[in-house]
Amino acid sequence: MLKNVDWAEDRDYKTGSEDEPLQFYLDGLTNSIEFHLLLGYFSSSAINLLSVGFATFISKGGKMRMVINHLLSSKDKEAINKVEEGNSNDLKVFDLTDSSILHRYLDEYDIHFFECLTYLISQKRIEIKVIKPKNGKGIAHYKSGVFSDGENNVGYKASCNFTLYGLSENLEELEAFLSWENGRSNKMIKKQLKIIDDYFNEIDEDVDYLPTKDIEVVLKDRFGNKDINELLVQEEQLLRRKQNLMSSNSKIKKTISNIFDKIEIERKTPKFPYSEGPRDYQIEAYNNWVNNDRRGLFAMATGTGKTLTSLNCILEDFKISNLYKFIVLVPTTALAKQWIKEANKKFNYQNTILCCSENSNWKSEVTNLGKNILFGRDVNYAIITTYATFKGVRFQTMLKEYFTDDYDKMTLIADEAHNFGSQGFLKVIPNFINKRIGLSATPERQFDDNGNKLLNDFFSCSDEEYTFEYNMKTAIDNGILCKYYYYPILVNLELDEQENYLKISKELMKYIDFETGRYRESEYVNNLLIKRKNIIHKAKNKLNALISTINKIGKENFKKAFIYVPEGIEFDSSENEFTPPEFENETSKIIDNYLVEIYNHFQTKMAKFTGETNNRDQILNQFKEGQLDALLAMKCLDEGVDVPQTKYAIFCSSTGNPRQYIQRRGRVLRTHKEKEFAIIYDLIVKPAISHTNTDESITKMEKNIFLSELRRLVNFAVLSENKDQSLKDLETLCYDLDIDIYELANNELNNYK
């Protein structure tokens, strides 16, 4: 706060004295949230000189207003022009809350500096009004300003321009006015603020208000060595002058040293990654979790920020205890690496350890951390691990050997928390960790009542009400997810496929319990079910329908697309982080065939994205940057992939698994400035049986099978922008099986109320 600063005793600052003008600006910047400048000459070299102070000021949300004359350096004019001409969108996005990063950019008087300056102007963190006196050739030559912390103000009048030359040259002076001291100071400050307000509101009629195109660039051969030569100093001279100045004044050195100490503390302090802070619903999730004794299951639609929401819970608790100790469980290594980025790079959590096959040193890293805990050191840490690694003997042994003293302080975050109910996880459920957060777009486990009860009990919620819920309809209505159009496309089985399908169905009839609708468990029955399912998955006409769909979209428009090709064997990633070879072999055959056929028709730039893909990050970056038009995938785009640019999704893989299809839809519904809405095409294999079939038992069985698929179709349709048309497209299909599509649609919509 400004009132706590040790201002110069006589309120005067002179170059070469103990109280330099530079000292005044550093104290003002690091203790303010607003800085109003009424200037004559301005050069961004002054920002460079004061970079450590400006970084602190901006990282706290500080905003700056400047009234300047029409003479600027060429690079300063270019920076302002980029904003006014709308060319700032391609600039690097700077983290305005991280003073250490921002200081580094502001301290480098090169392209990074001007990128940063342009970005700050475009974000209205630095606002500029350019003026020129009327009826004459003179220039505006003010040298005053006001700092404000929201409660108190400090104003000043100076002899020096706001340039590096002006702030660092001899025989310059500045007089400060503190609002809490006397009436004269208050009057002076109010007067300065009114003058600035009048200029920004363009009320003062004694000046012309100039667009940036009328800014004059100061050239060396035009002005030579006259009084504005501070604008002409070369970059290397600026840096050399700055270094000399910093080392010659003990008070400035001490101030800067203190600021650096604060920056170092801030550099290691967790923070919410976006300046606007958590959304209202994320705050609500935290409050619900706290009110539920810090246990809870968050059912949140894919794309609504489950990771951010849970990490914010850790952050809010950190603000209370100054501690964070948490373990995150994820189903895949790809998702584990994404969590590391979110926790470390965005939230700034330190001591983040990746425990999975991607990090061969994880055992020694956890051991070193554990020894610190055994020695009684209250260290902060974040451990990100796969379910497979977590349930392994080595990790479980280390958890019990080193971390018992932290059990009460530790928080467990289970991403894709439905994995908790799997049989392979029952023996290692960490009941000893009291604080728990479960995350899932679809927490319910299909056909697993025991698993669902275990899940709900562990996270202290009921099957009727989760601790926090944020569904897809709400997310779309609130603009968190983008709107979409949905187009179901019906695909017929070939004659031989249909005959084979019917043959398997008749054999399966021998093993079904008609009271429960479930099959008797046996390896033989399971193999039959897989064979029948694969007939639907790999229906020959799907590829023809896909080619027809892309042709309808048009080769020129077909960009930023995910294509989910038919898949074979289902695989539980919570049991093992490695994909079985037989699954990969099946994947390669199918996906390669699709890749070749699409390329032969359209010469589209594509890549496949499977469990065998080693350079996934590189492929995703190429896709984001437009070097690839489409990604062909099997399951690997289901969890943890964040490519908001994606506009098209084509589902060639039939699935009644809500978890899978909801995640896939969420991939394409993430908002992005380059897309207004998403488009989803869904290839649906028509049931092999209709109401005209004479075998009623097979017709009934087929109807039950299709009902599972139909839930997905209706779920997609009712939230789409073309709901009426997409439901109408499904109406005939449902009529053949005596199913009322509109009753299903109403029931689905009621689930969102």
Side-chain angles (χ1 to χ4, degrees), residues 41 70-74 216-220 222-223 228 231-232:
Y41 297 120
H70 58 297
L71 302 177
L72 287 180
S73 70
S74 58
E216 295 181 30
V217 173
V218 181
L219 300 174
K220 189 170 185 178
R222 179 178 173 188
F223 291 101
I228 54 172
L231 297 176
L232 310 174

Side-chain angles (χ1 to χ4, degrees), residues 1-13 24 27-28 31-32 145-149 151-157 174-190:
M1 300 295 285
L2 291 170
K3 205 168 184 178
N4 299 328
V5 174
D6 183 20
W7 302 102
E9 189 172 349
D10 59 1
R11 308 307 184 232
D12 284 335
Y13 293 80
F24 171 82
D27 285 335
N31 290 279
S32 300
V146 177
F147 287 105
S148 174
D149 61 13
E151 181 178 349
N152 294 298
N153 299 318
V154 172
Y156 72 91
K157 285 189 174 182
L174 177 152
E175 181 183 5
F177 301 87
L178 314 183
S179 64
W180 57 91
E181 285 194 335
N182 56 56
R184 175 175 176 268
S185 293
N186 263 316
K187 287 179 181 178
M188 180 271 172
I189 291 169
K190 289 178 180 178

Side-chain angles (χ1 to χ4, degrees), residues 39-42 67-73 77 80 128-134 136-141 208-218 222-223 231:
L39 304 172
Y41 297 120
F42 161 76
V67 178
I68 66 174
N69 69 38
H70 58 297
L71 302 177
L72 287 180
S73 70
K77 178 178 179 179
I80 298 172
I128 300 173
K129 178 68 68 173
V130 183
I131 63 172
K132 181 180 181 181
K134 287 184 176 180
K137 296 181 179 180
I139 57 174
H141 208 268
D208 290 322
Y209 302 93
L210 306 183
T212 57
K213 65 181 179 62
D214 290 338
I215 290 175
E216 295 181 30
V217 173
V218 181
R222 179 178 173 188
F223 291 101
L231 297 176

Side-chain angles (χ1 to χ4, degrees), residues 714-715 718 723 727 740-753:
V714 172
N715 181 279
V718 297
K723 177 182 70 174
L727 289 174
D740 187 342
I741 186 71
Y742 296 102
E743 181 181 350
L744 288 176
N746 287 332
N747 290 338
E748 189 66 32
L749 283 173
N750 287 333
N751 290 334
Y752 288 107
K753 293 182 179 179

Side-chain angles (χ1 to χ4, degrees), residues 307-444:
T307 304
L308 287 178
T309 302
S310 61
L311 289 177
N312 183 61
C313 290
I314 303 295
L315 180 63
E316 293 301 323
D317 269 12
F318 168 78
K319 293 175 182 177
I320 299 171
S321 66
N322 207 36
L323 289 173
Y324 58 87
K325 304 168 183 284
F326 62 99
I327 297 177
V328 180
L329 305 184
V330 299
T332 65
T333 56
L335 200 52
K337 289 195 295 183
Q338 183 173 313
W339 268 88
I340 284 287
K341 291 179 182 177
E342 297 283 333
N344 183 247
K345 301 299 183 184
K346 289 190 176 180
F347 274 83
N348 206 31
Y349 291 117
Q350 306 297 302
N351 283 338
T352 52
I353 302 175
L354 177 65
C355 298
C356 65
S357 59
E358 292 287 329
N359 179 16
S360 59
N361 295 322
W362 72 262
K363 298 180 186 68
S364 61
E365 291 175 12
V366 173
T367 298
N368 291 336
L369 173 63
K371 288 180 178 178
N372 274 287
I373 295 170
L374 286 180
F375 291 149
R377 297 171 185 145
D378 223 355
V379 293
N380 293 320
Y381 56 83
I383 297 174
I384 318 295
T385 182
T386 60
Y387 284 95
T389 299
F390 181 84
K391 71 185 184 66
V393 174
R394 184 60 180 145
F395 192 94
Q396 288 294 311
T397 300
M398 296 170 81
L399 198 59
K400 295 170 185 174
E401 183 177 354
Y402 296 123
F403 292 87
T404 52
D405 290 342
D406 273 359
Y407 286 167
D408 290 338
K409 305 171 187 175
M410 189 185 295
T411 302
L412 178 81
I413 300 175
D415 197 6
E416 308 300 343
H418 42 269
N419 290 290
F420 246 83
S422 67
Q423 289 297 314
F425 209 76
L426 293 177
K427 296 179 181 179
V428 296
I429 289 179
N431 290 304
F432 47 84
I433 301 178
N434 291 321
K435 295 188 287 186
R436 310 164 185 172
I437 300 173
L439 305 171
S440 183
T442 51
E444 185 177 355

Side-chain angles (χ1 to χ4, degrees), residues 602-624:
F602 305 104
Q603 288 74 52
T604 301
K605 295 176 291 183
M606 299 172 293
K608 58 182 181 180
F609 202 83
T610 73
E612 290 181 321
T613 304
N614 294 322
N615 56 334
R616 295 186 188 184
D617 291 342
Q618 180 183 351
I619 288 175
L620 286 177
N621 286 332
Q622 289 174 340
F623 182 80
K624 291 176 182 178

